[in-house]
Amino acid sequence: MTVPPCLGANAGNCPTKGRSMATAQLVQTTVTYSGQRFTRYPIRTHWLSENEDLAAVLLSYTSDRQSGDTIAISEKVAILLADKTVPVETICVRWLGRLLARFIRPQLGEALGLSVPPKMQYVINETGRARILAAAAASALTRPLGIRGVFYRVAGTLARDIDGGVEPHEHHLFPPLDPTEAAQLCEGFEQSVGVGIAIVDMNDFGGSIRATSTSSLPAAALTEILADNPMGQKVTTTPFVIIRPEPS
């Protein structure tokens, strides 16, 4: 699905703060999972900032939600509004971080990943030099065989899922939420909005479900239903998707 950017010359495409799903939604799409049809409603918002309350934003933009819905929230937005980002300026990039970042080769059209030195350095600091060097060695041995992604599998979840460090968030890193903390956020948001909540990290190459609330669709179902990334990327400003089961 092609979505016009919500910036610059296309700013007129953006909803004003507080519009409901009926006026703020983009093109809805329907998918089938395990014999059940689900409609996905991406919700376009204003450009959110760390000074806003995510529960209030959810209430404002999803006023047309219904019982049985699940609202998927972009993990990046959850991290930003929960004030869990890491300022890039606080990371002292050392020689190993710069060296290893040079050997990360993103696929065409892929996010830059750990090829951004501050991100690589942060992962080294948090994961440990030994594990990252082991990941680099494993990658060097398997890449000539055409096996990709070994570095991230060995380095772990933080290396795979950390975001930010590039425009439009070049000044902040977005380390993934702890699953327990994410689950607590989901339960709190469900109490606020009255429907299931999931915090998800999806991209054009797949992704993961960080946590779900009690009334949410299960993670396995959401992984399939959101596999084509209906939330879009970056400047699409569609951090929420309402997922609604259709009557049989």
Side-chain angles (χ1 to χ4, degrees), residues 15-21 23-24 45-46 56-57 59-63:
T16 56
K17 185 175 182 179
R19 288 189 186 177
S20 70
M21 184 179 73
T23 56
T45 69
H46 64 286
V57 173
L59 286 168
S60 177
Y61 278 103
T62 64
S63 60

Side-chain angles (χ1 to χ4, degrees), residues 14-201:
C14 304
T16 56
K17 185 175 182 179
R19 288 189 186 177
S20 70
M21 184 179 73
T23 56
Q25 72 185 43
L26 302 179
V27 177
Q28 67 192 55
T29 54
T30 302
V31 297
T32 300
Y33 171 76
S34 192
Q36 170 74 56
R37 289 171 62 82
F38 296 88
T39 301
R40 294 98 50 93
Y41 300 89
I43 306 300
R44 176 171 286 166
T45 69
H46 64 286
W47 191 259
L48 300 174
S49 71
E50 61 269 27
N51 299 319
E52 299 185 66
D53 179 79
L54 183 50
V57 173
L58 278 171
L59 286 168
S60 177
Y61 278 103
T62 64
S63 60
D64 293 339
R65 62 193 177 277
Q66 300 176 6
S67 177
D69 287 350
T70 293
I71 302 176
I73 303 173
S74 162
E75 183 178 34
K76 181 181 287 186
V77 165
I79 293 168
L80 179 67
L81 272 61
D83 196 25
K84 299 293 185 180
T85 62
V86 177
V88 169
E89 64 184 14
T90 64
I91 300 168
C92 179
V93 181
R94 302 185 183 277
W95 68 268
L96 183 60
R98 292 191 181 92
L99 177 65
L100 293 180
R102 290 172 52 194
F103 291 95
I104 298 296
R105 300 176 184 174
Q107 298 177 16
L108 182 64
E110 188 179 355
L112 295 178
L114 297 186
S115 67
V116 180
K119 292 171 76 172
M120 177 64 80
Q121 186 64 54
Y122 181 81
V123 171
I124 293 171
N125 294 348
E126 297 297 316
T127 304
R129 179 182 296 193
R131 184 171 181 178
I132 299 305
L133 287 174
S139 177
L141 290 172
T142 55
R143 181 177 289 172
L145 303 177
I147 304 174
R148 297 183 60 89
V150 172
F151 177 90
Y152 291 101
R153 287 195 288 273
V154 176
T157 300
L158 177 61
R160 184 179 64 249
D161 292 343
I162 190 169
D163 210 334
V166 295
E167 292 184 347
H169 298 292
E170 64 270 27
H171 301 300
H172 292 86
L173 301 184
F174 292 73
L177 292 169
D178 174 80
T180 300
E181 182 180 16
Q184 292 172 347
L185 288 173
C186 287
E187 293 294 347
F189 294 143
E190 178 174 314
Q191 292 180 13
S192 296
V193 302
V195 299
I197 298 291
I199 294 176
V200 306
D201 177 27

